[in-house]
Amino acid sequence: MAVTCPQLVDVLNEDECLENLAGLGTDIYIGLKSELTTPLVATDNSYSTPAFAAGKGLYKVQCADEKQQIKGSSLGRRKGFELTCTFVVDSVNPAAGKLARAINNNDIFIIAKDDDVSQIIYDQSRKVKFDSGAITTDTGAAASDDRITTYEAKLSPVYYPNLYVAEPETGGWDSLLASAKKE
């Protein structure tokens, strides 16, 4: 297998229209790798649209506003990158607890809408991990505090500091929801 590095190209402000909006949307989509019909195919840093077994699909998590983010960080020269996906759910309740246990114990991938593209935390052979303390709940102490569950997923090593995924051509990510396929 021949390995080649990506070619350097000019990255100019005028190509970005001088706008680089921060943050991710409020919806996070979680999938089980075992429910994919085939592993996702990567072309450079972009993956194909996931395809699921009959009756299976994505699970949607509506998160707190302006709390979701994906960070990519170098692990050192020729060691790849680590991806960290953080998302926050505005609740501490039985449903949030079941979600925490399910994603803590299953082999998952995560999709987040990022303006007109979508990012993914996925690798065919590596697992998304929630390290010790990476899923936390906080009931708050004062009446003015928020009740939140915070998730911090990590994936490493990967070849790029951000990974993208092709959105379904029609219906967006909601068209791949497991709940929509069971109707």
Side-chain angles (χ1 to χ4, degrees), residues 83-106:
L83 300 178
T84 303
C85 177
T86 304
F87 56 100
V88 177
V89 176
D90 276 331
S91 62
V92 175
N93 61 25
K98 289 176 185 176
L99 173 66
R101 185 171 184 211
I103 67 173
N104 194 48
N105 294 313
N106 283 294

Side-chain angles (χ1 to χ4, degrees), residues 43-115:
T43 303
D44 295 325
N45 63 340
S46 295
Y47 280 97
S48 58
T49 304
F52 292 93
K56 306 297 183 181
L58 294 171
Y59 300 87
K60 184 177 185 176
V61 179
Q62 292 181 323
C63 300
D65 193 29
E66 296 186 352
K67 301 282 186 189
Q68 288 57 250
Q69 66 180 9
I70 294 175
K71 291 183 179 181
S73 59
S74 172
L75 295 171
R77 185 170 191 261
R78 295 187 177 167
K79 293 183 180 177
F81 295 87
E82 177 176 72
L83 300 178
T84 303
C85 177
T86 304
F87 56 100
V88 177
V89 176
D90 276 331
S91 62
V92 175
N93 61 25
K98 289 176 185 176
L99 173 66
R101 185 171 184 211
I103 67 173
N104 194 48
N105 294 313
N106 283 294
D107 193 3
I108 67 163
F109 62 93
I110 301 168
I111 296 173
K113 189 83 169 139
D114 184 9
D115 290 328

Side-chain angles (χ1 to χ4, degrees), residues 22-61:
L24 299 172
T26 58
D27 295 335
I28 294 289
Y29 296 88
I30 297 171
L32 294 171
K33 286 168 59 175
S34 63
E35 294 181 349
L36 293 169
T37 55
T38 60
L40 302 182
V41 176
T43 303
D44 295 325
N45 63 340
S46 295
Y47 280 97
S48 58
T49 304
F52 292 93
K56 306 297 183 181
L58 294 171
Y59 300 87
K60 184 177 185 176
V61 179

Side-chain angles (χ1 to χ4, degrees), residues 22 40 51 57 59 74 87 96 104 118 124 129 132 135 139 148 157 177:
L40 302 182
Y59 300 87
S74 172
F87 56 100
N104 194 48
S118 292
Q124 177 180 344
K129 296 179 183 170
S132 179
I135 299 175
T139 60
I148 60 170
L177 291 177

Side-chain angles (χ1 to χ4, degrees), residues 107-176:
D107 193 3
I108 67 163
F109 62 93
I110 301 168
I111 296 173
K113 189 83 169 139
D114 184 9
D115 290 328
D116 60 344
V117 297
S118 292
Q119 291 200 44
I120 190 168
I121 308 298
Y122 171 86
D123 185 271
Q124 177 180 344
S125 57
R126 292 182 171 83
K127 294 184 182 216
V128 172
K129 296 179 183 170
F130 293 87
D131 295 333
S132 179
I135 299 175
T136 60
T137 62
D138 185 348
T139 60
S144 60
D145 292 342
D146 291 328
R147 295 175 63 91
I148 60 170
T149 303
T150 303
Y151 302 85
E152 185 178 87
K154 292 187 181 276
L155 177 62
S156 70
V158 294
Y159 288 109
Y160 295 92
N162 296 87
L163 299 173
Y164 298 89
V165 61
E167 190 169 328
E169 290 183 23
T170 57
W173 295 115
D174 284 355
S175 69
L176 295 183

